[in-house]
Amino acid sequence: MKKLINAPDAVVREALEGMELAYGDRIRVSYDPACVVRADAPVAGKVGIVSGGGSGHEPMHGGFVGPGMLDAACPGEVFTSPTPDQMMAATKAVDGGAGVLHIVKNYTGDVMNFEMAADLGREEGIEVEAVVTNDDVAVQDSLYTAGRRGVGITVIAEKICGAAAEERRPLADVAEICRRVNGQGRSMGMALTPCTTPSSGEPSFQLGDDEMEIGIGIHGEPGRYREPLAPAAQVVERLASAVVEDLPYQSGDQVLAFVNGMGGTPLIELFIVYRDLHHFLAERGITISRRLIGNYITSLEMAGASITLLRLDDELTRLWDAPVNTPALRWGA
């Protein structure tokens, strides 16, 4: 195992320290319990938005804390859910009097611990709503979930809901927008290689040099198929067909297309994936009117990619275009 670390048990803390040193103008970090909080939180009269999950998926979620997106993120240990006390501390830190929205990926530990934190928050008089994302069409159940996994649509929901909260929309409205984004979005991913967690020093799964896994999860969970390597266009057709047919998306739809790298895939390959996705959708009368391409939900150094589509309407497009200023996502600000 070759990694640029000092000690396996210090990876998360030292990464958080580095984030705070680099982006102290936008975030502040607490360590006991660990959470990343918007520098000017709480913002009076604004719905606070909190998300979180295991580390190892950077920049999700701490890289998305800042104006126009998340107010706080709770980082667990690598591939491990954060604890209820982290989520409760984050909830209290961002409560500006208008309530707090928890955006929760559908992984069993995340859901359970966020539910406990929401109950604790309500006991202290904080209005809390939670929305669970479950956009992955690859498998119905996995090692980590009951039901579909929450993946790419989570980042899109955090951005769009963050914009709605900046407009001082009430909590019920922001939560409903989050449910609409989740309902109109679908994702599927694939892997070319496994990843190695710092604590184990071993690959998370075995994959032959001439094999790829279609429908992989962000923790290396098995997908739909393990099969021989294929050209990018064929891979895109497999992923995009499953996504488009699931909603289903139809001719005339305007979509946001999110091509995400899993951490070890260079941009030159992601742009090839985007090219093939553009042609695939155009042949079906589906227009990409917004796009996001890059490594935003990673699985350490795993090579691979995922495709997420969101069916857009005028409101969702406007909220996506609104300014955002976070360590990992920034425009119009």
Side-chain angles (χ1 to χ4, degrees):
M1 179 180 70
K2 294 181 179 179
K3 290 187 179 292
L4 282 169
I5 63 175
N6 294 307
D9 59 357
V11 165
V12 174
R13 182 183 183 92
E14 291 184 357
L16 291 173
E17 291 172 354
M19 281 188 63
E20 187 173 32
L21 288 169
Y23 299 108
D25 58 327
R26 276 166 270 181
I27 63 171
R28 64 179 190 267
V29 179
S30 63
Y31 298 95
D32 190 22
C35 56
V36 180
V37 182
R38 176 173 161 167
D40 59 350
V43 180
K46 188 186 87 67
V47 170
I49 302 180
V50 176
S51 193
S55 296
H57 305 302
E58 287 73 20
M60 190 174 74
H61 291 275
F64 301 132
V65 173
M69 208 160 176
L70 293 177
D71 292 87
C74 307
E77 290 300 316
V78 173
F79 293 178
T80 302
S81 175
T83 60
D85 65 320
Q86 288 177 263
M87 299 165 181
M88 181 57 186
T91 300
K92 292 175 68 175
V94 306
D95 175 31
V100 176
L101 173 66
H102 291 169
I103 300 178
V104 188
K105 300 187 305 303
N106 188 31
Y107 294 95
T108 302
D110 291 6
V111 172
M112 178 179 65
N113 290 347
F114 265 110
E115 284 178 350
M116 293 175 63
D119 289 341
L120 292 170
R122 294 181 188 115
E123 289 175 5
E124 296 202 13
I126 302 172
E127 187 180 3
V128 181
E129 283 222 41
V131 177
V132 176
T133 59
N134 59 352
D135 51 302
D136 188 354
V137 304
V139 291
Q140 182 59 38
D141 299 290
S142 79
L143 299 176
Y144 291 75
T145 66
R148 291 181 166 182
R149 303 174 290 216
V151 284
I153 208 68
T154 312
V155 170
I156 297 171
E158 290 170 357
K159 166 63 187 78
I160 288 175
C161 292
E166 295 289 351
E167 294 180 349
R168 302 303 191 267
R169 303 275 283 273
L171 177 60
D173 284 5
V174 179
E176 181 54 37
I177 288 169
C178 194
R179 294 186 187 99
R180 176 150 49 109
V181 170
N182 183 63
Q184 295 181 191
R186 298 290 189 273
S187 300
M188 190 166 170
M190 59 81 63
L192 298 171
T193 69
C195 61
T196 300
T197 61
S199 59
S200 73
E202 299 292 335
S204 55
F205 60 97
Q206 297 298 319
L207 196 59
D209 290 342
D210 60 347
E211 291 181 319
M212 61 182 180
E213 183 90 13
I214 301 291
I216 199 76
I218 58 174
H219 307 95
E221 309 98 301
R224 284 187 180 183
Y225 316 103
R226 180 165 295 188
E227 55 193 47
L229 287 173
Q234 184 175 321
V235 173
V236 168
E237 183 171 4
R238 296 291 296 280
L239 299 180
S241 293
V243 168
V244 166
E245 292 166 6
D246 190 88
L247 192 58
Y249 297 83
Q250 300 173 342
S251 178
D253 283 347
Q254 302 275 331
V255 299
L256 187 162
F258 175 21
V259 173
N260 174 66
M262 303 301 288
T265 301
L267 273 172
I268 193 170
E269 296 176 27
L270 296 182
F271 282 122
I272 292 171
V273 170
Y274 179 81
R275 166 195 177 272
D276 293 338
L277 178 63
H278 174 93
H279 293 319
F280 176 93
L281 295 176
E283 289 172 359
R284 287 154 182 79
I286 300 169
T287 301
I288 299 175
S289 58
R290 298 293 186 275
R291 74 280 305 149
L292 183 66
I293 304 155
N295 290 284
Y296 293 100
I297 307 175
T298 63
S299 187
L300 296 171
E301 78 282 14
M302 181 186 290
S306 61
I307 289 172
T308 299
L309 298 181
L310 171 66
R311 179 186 287 157
L312 289 170
D313 54 38
D314 289 345
E315 181 181 38
L316 296 183
T317 302
R318 178 180 60 78
L319 292 170
W320 176 258
D321 289 344
V324 60
N325 187 7
T326 72
L329 207 64
R330 183 176 186 179
W331 59 69

